[in-house]
Amino acid sequence: MSTHDTPLFLGANPEEALVHCIFIHGRTQSPEDMQEQVISKLKVPGVAFLLPRARGNSWYDARATDVLTDRTRQQLEQAIAHVRKLIGDLSGSNNHPKPLVIGGFSQGACLAVEYAMRHGPWNGALASLTGCRVGTPDCDRPFADLDRLPVYLTGSDKDPWIPVDAFAQTAAALARARARLHCDILPDRSHMVSSTEIAQLEKLLCGLSNRSWW
């Protein structure tokens, strides 16, 4: 039995789509918030979007930069297992799944990074809009060889939820994991998805659709 709720499907039919995209909402948000703030602003045909829905509208209780507790680890693993099942259902029995972008905003972006560190790489890319690793550098955390997986990571000097230090530590971790990393730090941007991030996500999805890269 899932610990989370029914996702929202948008865009192309998954069987006919050129690219699949899972985009995860932030703390106290919903898939409909991501539809309004991100997905509706993308101009990329041929993408099937799946927007997971956290029970209670949050994936875990702690801040991303808190020390990992047993409760946070359990909530994190449940959320990652939920996303992994959704990905499996989206791919179906296809032995050659379509390119997949796993992305998210804020807590959803952090969850996407943690998913990559457990289950990466995959055929596609990671888009972490205002995200970081969950926990502190002293915490024991999984680590993967991402083998040149394209990753778009963003942050801001004015974001109260993901400090610049956490952003920088995550960029370093992704670099050590051999991600093909593109970072944007956006001065003075508040806790929101900016037009710059929308444009880069659109470019990433187009690149996968056209089999080219940024």
Side-chain angles (χ1 to χ4, degrees):
M1 179 178 177
S2 175
T3 55
H4 295 288
D5 294 326
T6 304
L8 176 65
F9 288 89
L10 297 169
N13 183 308
E15 293 184 1
E16 300 171 355
L18 298 172
V19 178
H20 291 165
C21 177
I22 291 188
F23 199 86
I24 309 167
H25 66 76
R27 180 191 304 272
T28 71
Q29 293 187 313
S30 68
E32 287 75 17
D33 291 326
M34 294 299 94
Q35 178 183 12
E36 177 186 353
Q37 297 169 23
V38 180
I39 306 303
S40 66
K41 298 178 181 177
L42 296 169
K43 298 179 179 63
V44 188
V47 180
F49 294 97
L50 190 161
L51 282 61
R53 186 186 305 275
R55 187 159 298 172
N57 300 108
S58 296
W59 299 103
Y60 47 85
D61 297 333
R63 289 178 66 106
T65 52
D66 289 345
V67 173
L68 284 172
T69 64
D70 290 345
R71 177 173 174 76
T72 303
R73 289 183 189 277
Q74 181 182 28
Q75 291 177 321
L76 198 53
E77 293 306 324
Q78 288 174 342
I80 289 170
H82 177 68
V83 171
R84 189 159 177 78
K85 183 179 186 311
L86 293 178
I87 291 171
D89 292 346
L90 194 59
S91 300
S93 59
N94 191 341
N95 293 325
H96 301 284
K98 297 177 180 181
L100 171 68
V101 173
I102 301 177
F105 168 64
S106 189
Q107 191 180 69
C110 298
L111 189 58
V113 171
E114 292 304 320
Y115 183 95
M117 286 301 193
R118 286 160 178 77
H119 300 298
W122 57 86
N123 173 27
L126 167 66
S128 175
L129 309 185
T130 308
C132 68
R133 293 222 63 179
V134 181
T136 67
D138 294 333
C139 295
D140 182 23
R141 297 179 289 191
F143 186 83
D145 179 354
L146 295 181
D147 192 18
R148 294 167 289 177
L149 177 75
V151 175
Y152 180 50
L153 176 71
T154 71
S156 168
D157 62 323
K158 294 294 193 300
D159 194 300
W161 287 96
I162 310 294
V164 170
D165 284 353
F167 165 87
Q169 290 160 7
T170 300
L174 290 167
R176 287 195 296 273
R178 301 199 311 122
R180 188 174 170 181
L181 188 59
H182 178 172
C183 294
D184 269 339
I185 191 82
L186 301 157
D188 300 322
R189 191 215 61 194
S190 59
H191 193 65
M192 59 175 286
V193 181
S194 68
S195 58
T196 298
E197 291 159 296
I198 297 284
Q200 288 297 337
L201 177 58
E202 186 172 294
K203 187 175 179 181
L204 190 155
L205 289 165
C206 285
L208 285 169
S209 297
N210 301 328
R211 299 180 186 276
S212 60
W213 302 107
W214 58 59

